[in-house]
């Protein structure tokens, strides 16, 4: 699956995750395919579960999961995650009390 954002847009991108939500937090990295994230690539993200203000928007996307990880992308309002046109592979890092799994998501992101 691919999500396409126009470079002039600022909006949330949702990544579906299965299993239990992390208790500490989540981060995302958007990198060209074949590139592994390093520490500076990670950006704080929002964990969106049932009842969260973004739940309806996330659930209406084509992404599926038990919960979602959401990150605002684009420069409007001083947002700090701005991507240049191209194709990106999203990664998620979920931090819990004793685990920190890192996963490549099945969703590709294109900035047009």
């Amino acid at each position: 699956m691919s999500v396409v954002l126009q470079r002039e847009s600022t909006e949330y991108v949702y990544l579906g995750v299965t299993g239990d939500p992390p208790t500490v937090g989540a981060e995302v990295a958007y990198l060209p395919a074949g590139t592994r994230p390093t520490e500076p690539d990670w950006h704080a993200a929002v964990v969106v579960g049932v009842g969260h203000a973004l739940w309806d928007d996330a659930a209406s996307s084509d992404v599926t999961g038990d919960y979602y990880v959401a990150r605002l992308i684009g420069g409007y309002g001083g947002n700090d995650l701005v991507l240049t046109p191209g194709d990106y592979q999203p990664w998620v890092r979920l931090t819990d009390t004793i685990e920190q799994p890192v996963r490549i998501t099945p969703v590709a992101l294109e900035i047009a």
Side-chain angles (χ1 to χ4, degrees), residues 9-107:
S9 183
T10 298
E11 57 188 284
Y12 281 100
V13 171
Y14 299 101
L15 305 170
V17 182
T18 57
D20 294 328
T23 59
V24 176
E27 299 160 290
V28 296
Y30 291 92
L31 301 167
T35 305
R36 300 186 75 81
T38 61
E39 200 56 39
D41 297 319
W42 294 106
H43 298 274
V46 177
V47 175
V48 178
V50 175
H52 189 280
L54 294 174
W55 177 259
D56 289 341
D57 194 34
S60 68
S61 70
D62 290 333
V63 177
T64 60
D66 295 329
Y67 63 95
Y68 302 90
V69 172
R71 180 60 162 102
L72 196 60
I73 297 177
Y76 181 76
N79 184 49
D80 66 344
L81 182 52
V82 180
L83 301 174
T84 59
D87 296 322
Y88 295 88
Q89 176 64 61
W91 294 67
V92 295
R93 181 165 72 177
L94 308 167
T95 303
D96 211 86
T97 54
I98 61 170
E99 295 181 310
Q100 191 179 53
V102 174
R103 301 177 182 167
I104 299 172
T105 69
V107 175

